[in-house]
Amino acid sequence: MEYEYAVVEGIKRDALRGQCPQYSAFLSILPTSLFLPHSQPSMFARSAFAVAVLAVVASCGVYAQEPNCARNYTVVLGDTCDEISAKTNTSTYQLATVNADKIDAGCDNLALGEPLCLGIIGQDCDVVHVVASGDNCDAIAISAGTTDAILLANNPNVNSECTNIYPGEVLCTATELVYTSSSS
């Protein structure tokens, strides 16, 4: 039942953000037992829930996509921004920037089933490095065959001393500039 509760919470969050008008109608027809984290609704309630989720996702899924998105991803249960970035070869910076209207600064508001854009056409870095304990920008740049200047330009969230990177963060390690000044 945790899965159904997580889906409902994601849909409630999106409805509050106005991302899909159909979400409010969907919430009004759900059995109230689905709004409780540890409830045990009937088999009928679970079946009705599954059918309703499919209908809402089908009607809103395309609505939420970025029109100039190079790659897409749908949030699954347990995802974090760094995990999404690592498994999709997308820098943490790029994921956060492209989805700034959906993901907050702490990345603690991901909604189950939410479509995310992984990169904008023409400005999509898919050459990445997952930061490990002890990594520094010089070593990352050398390993990737790029320069510190390009590494820092492609990761504007990293300070010039490279003291704010952390294990699990995903950095763009392209050998050329990926982002233009209008994308940041």
Side-chain angles (χ1 to χ4, degrees):
M1 211 53 236
E2 291 298 316
Y3 176 79
E4 287 90 343
Y5 178 73
V7 170
V8 169
E9 287 304 301
I11 289 170
K12 284 170 34 182
R13 189 170 27 251
D14 286 350
L16 290 173
R17 289 190 232 159
Q19 289 184 332
C20 182
Q22 293 90 328
Y23 284 175
S24 295
F26 169 72
L27 291 171
S28 69
I29 64 166
L30 284 178
T32 55
S33 61
L34 288 176
F35 292 92
L36 305 173
H38 300 291
S39 63
Q40 294 298 322
S42 69
M43 182 57 80
F44 174 77
R46 290 181 119 168
S47 298
F49 174 80
V51 170
V53 166
L54 287 174
V56 170
V57 169
S59 68
C60 295
V62 175
Y63 171 83
Q65 293 296 327
E66 183 74 33
N68 55 347
C69 190
R71 300 178 288 141
N72 296 296
Y73 178 81
T74 302
V75 175
V76 297
L77 193 60
D79 270 344
T80 66
C81 285
D82 288 335
E83 290 169 350
I84 292 169
S85 294
K87 68 183 169 184
T88 62
N89 292 330
T90 306
S91 76
T92 302
Y93 166 79
Q94 181 171 292
L95 180 69
T97 301
V98 172
N99 296 286
D101 62 328
K102 297 177 184 180
I103 300 174
D104 66 18
C107 191
D108 56 9
N109 66 330
L110 291 174
L112 185 65
E114 182 172 35
L116 299 176
C117 179
L118 299 177
I120 301 298
I121 295 170
Q123 296 182 6
D124 180 20
C125 181
D126 60 1
V127 180
V128 299
H129 172 83
V130 179
V131 176
S133 182
D135 275 354
N136 63 63
C137 286
D138 291 335
I140 294 168
I142 290 168
S143 175
T146 191
T147 66
D148 282 348
I150 291 175
L151 181 71
L152 292 173
N154 282 334
N155 297 282
N157 56 315
V158 177
N159 64 32
S160 60
E161 295 82 32
C162 194
T163 57
N164 63 334
I165 63 172
Y166 58 89
E169 181 177 15
V170 183
L171 300 178
C172 172
T173 55
T175 57
E176 56 191 36
L177 292 176
V178 175
Y179 310 114
T180 62
S181 58
S182 64
S183 68
S184 49

